[in-house]
Amino acid sequence: MSNIYHLIHSNSFGDTLASTPTVRYLSKSHGQKINVVTHKKDIFKNNPYVQNILSFDEFNNLKLSNIIKYESHTFAGQKDNNGIEKKFSHMDVRQIHAIDLGFQLPNEELEYDFYPEPLSLDIQLPEKYVVLHVTTNWPNRTWSYDNWVGLIQWLKEKKIFTVLVGAGYKESLHLSYSDGSLIKDCPMFDDYYGLDLTNKGTMSDMWWVINGAECLVTMDSGPLH
């Protein structure tokens, strides 16, 4: 078993997926697979650079000694002793994971790694379609419901098959951001031309749907990554 552990402290899908270039870089640097400790275990399935995938509870229950431990996406939203805060909105989140470990990734090392499981949803999609990821997020990362309705109606009038994706959930936030959780809801639509897959399927299913689409329309969210 590898004695190298990378603890990835991000809670969201997109921020965690953005750690995969750093995971790959660490594995290549050490010449072996590494262990990943994460809140989003499904992201690292089938990853050729990962030995074991553990939750934080599983990791904390292990009796380990003589390990190499890396931690990234730490102290989100906190200021250092000089009052300096990493501005996530002004940085490439892939570099945040690397910078937390003391290096920066070159441009040729920024590609994400995701190795999907086979499609599990029993769906039939046309040859051409578009994907919309409609969800609520931070105010500067949320398009109004009325705007989405207008776009969906326009796509219907143009007879452009539309697939809605996404999953509603609560995302834990650092206390410097909020004293509660951020609720990321996927609103429902009654009148559309296409297929509603919100809150259905797996991350891998979403990958297959997006991969076959003509385009994806989304705000700054997990499917964007």
Side-chain angles (χ1 to χ4, degrees), residues 129-133 163 165 210 213-219 221-225:
Y129 60 92
V130 302
V131 174
L132 306 187
H133 179 231
V163 182
V165 299
I210 292 174
E214 295 291 302
C215 69
L216 166 69
V217 182
T218 180
M219 301 300 289
S221 63
L224 172 67
H225 295 274

Coordinates of all heavy atoms in Angstrom, one line a residue, residues 129-133 163 165 210 213-219 221-225:
Y129 N -28.1 17.5 -29.6 CA -28.8 18.1 -28.5 C -27.9 19.0 -27.7 O -26.7 19.0 -27.9 CB -29.4 17.0 -27.6 CG -28.3 16.1 -27.0 CD1 -27.8 16.4 -25.7 CD2 -27.9 15.0 -27.6 CE1 -26.8 15.6 -25.1 CE2 -26.9 14.2 -27.0 CZ -26.4 14.5 -25.8 OH -25.4 13.7 -25.2
V130 N -28.5 19.8 -26.9 CA -27.7 20.7 -26.0 C -28.0 20.4 -24.6 O -29.1 19.8 -24.3 CB -28.1 22.2 -26.3 CG1 -27.8 22.6 -27.7 CG2 -29.5 22.6 -25.9
V131 N -27.1 20.7 -23.7 CA -27.3 20.4 -22.3 C -27.3 21.7 -21.5 O -26.5 22.6 -21.7 CB -26.1 19.5 -21.8 CG1 -26.2 19.4 -20.2 CG2 -26.1 18.2 -22.4
L132 N -28.2 21.8 -20.6 CA -28.3 23.0 -19.7 C -28.1 22.5 -18.2 O -28.7 21.5 -17.8 CB -29.7 23.7 -19.8 CG -30.2 24.1 -21.1 CD1 -31.5 25.0 -20.9 CD2 -29.2 24.9 -21.9
H133 N -27.3 23.2 -17.5 CA -27.1 23.0 -16.1 C -27.7 24.2 -15.3 O -27.1 25.2 -15.3 CB -25.7 22.8 -15.7 CG -25.5 22.5 -14.2 ND1 -24.6 23.3 -13.5 CD2 -26.1 21.7 -13.4 CE1 -24.6 22.9 -12.2 NE2 -25.5 21.9 -12.1
V163 N -31.4 18.8 -22.9 CA -31.3 17.9 -21.7 C -30.9 18.7 -20.5 O -29.9 19.5 -20.5 CB -30.2 16.8 -22.0 CG1 -30.1 15.9 -20.8 CG2 -30.6 16.0 -23.3
V165 N -29.5 18.9 -16.7 CA -28.7 18.0 -15.8 C -28.4 18.8 -14.5 O -28.6 20.0 -14.4 CB -27.3 17.6 -16.4 CG1 -27.6 16.8 -17.7 CG2 -26.4 18.8 -16.7
I210 N -23.0 15.0 -21.3 CA -22.3 16.2 -21.7 C -21.3 15.9 -22.9 O -21.2 16.7 -23.9 CB -21.5 16.9 -20.6 CG1 -22.5 17.4 -19.5 CG2 -20.6 18.0 -21.0 CD1 -21.8 17.9 -18.3
A213 N -23.0 16.0 -26.3 CA -23.8 17.2 -26.6 C -23.1 18.1 -27.6 O -21.8 18.1 -27.7 CB -24.1 18.0 -25.4
E214 N -23.9 18.9 -28.3 CA -23.3 20.0 -29.2 C -22.7 21.1 -28.3 O -21.7 21.7 -28.7 CB -24.4 20.6 -30.1 CG -25.0 19.6 -31.1 CD -24.0 19.2 -32.2 OE1 -23.5 20.1 -32.9 OE2 -23.7 18.0 -32.3
C215 N -23.3 21.4 -27.2 CA -22.8 22.4 -26.3 C -23.4 22.3 -24.9 O -24.4 21.6 -24.8 CB -23.1 23.8 -26.9 SG -24.8 24.3 -26.8
L216 N -22.8 22.9 -24.0 CA -23.2 22.9 -22.6 C -23.4 24.4 -22.2 O -22.5 25.2 -22.4 CB -22.2 22.3 -21.6 CG -22.4 22.5 -20.2 CD1 -23.6 21.8 -19.6 CD2 -21.2 22.1 -19.4
V217 N -24.6 24.7 -21.6 CA -24.9 26.1 -21.1 C -24.9 26.0 -19.6 O -25.7 25.3 -19.1 CB -26.2 26.6 -21.7 CG1 -26.4 28.0 -21.2 CG2 -26.2 26.6 -23.2
T218 N -24.0 26.7 -18.9 CA -23.9 26.6 -17.5 C -23.3 27.9 -17.0 O -22.6 28.6 -17.7 CB -23.1 25.4 -17.0 OG1 -23.1 25.4 -15.6 CG2 -21.7 25.4 -17.6
M219 N -23.5 28.2 -15.7 CA -22.7 29.2 -15.0 C -21.5 28.5 -14.5 O -21.2 27.4 -14.9 CB -23.6 29.8 -13.9 CG -24.9 30.4 -14.3 SD -24.7 31.8 -15.5 CE -24.0 33.0 -14.4
S221 N -19.8 26.3 -12.5 CA -20.3 25.2 -11.7 C -19.6 23.9 -12.0 O -18.7 23.9 -12.9 CB -21.8 25.0 -11.9 OG -22.1 24.6 -13.3
G222 N -19.9 22.8 -11.3 CA -19.2 21.6 -11.5 C -19.2 21.1 -13.0 O -18.1 20.7 -13.5
P223 N -20.3 21.0 -13.7 CA -20.3 20.6 -15.1 C -19.4 21.4 -16.0 O -18.9 20.9 -17.0 CB -21.8 20.7 -15.5 CG -22.5 20.5 -14.2 CD -21.7 21.2 -13.2
L224 N -19.2 22.7 -15.6 CA -18.2 23.5 -16.4 C -16.9 22.9 -16.4 O -16.2 22.8 -17.4 CB -18.2 24.9 -15.8 CG -17.1 25.8 -16.4 CD1 -17.4 26.2 -17.9 CD2 -17.0 27.1 -15.6
H225 N -16.4 22.4 -15.2 CA -15.1 21.8 -15.1 C -15.1 20.4 -15.9 O -14.2 20.1 -16.6 CB -14.8 21.5 -13.7 CG -14.6 22.7 -12.9 ND1 -13.4 23.4 -12.8 CD2 -15.4 23.4 -12.1 CE1 -13.4 24.4 -12.0 NE2 -14.7 24.5 -11.6

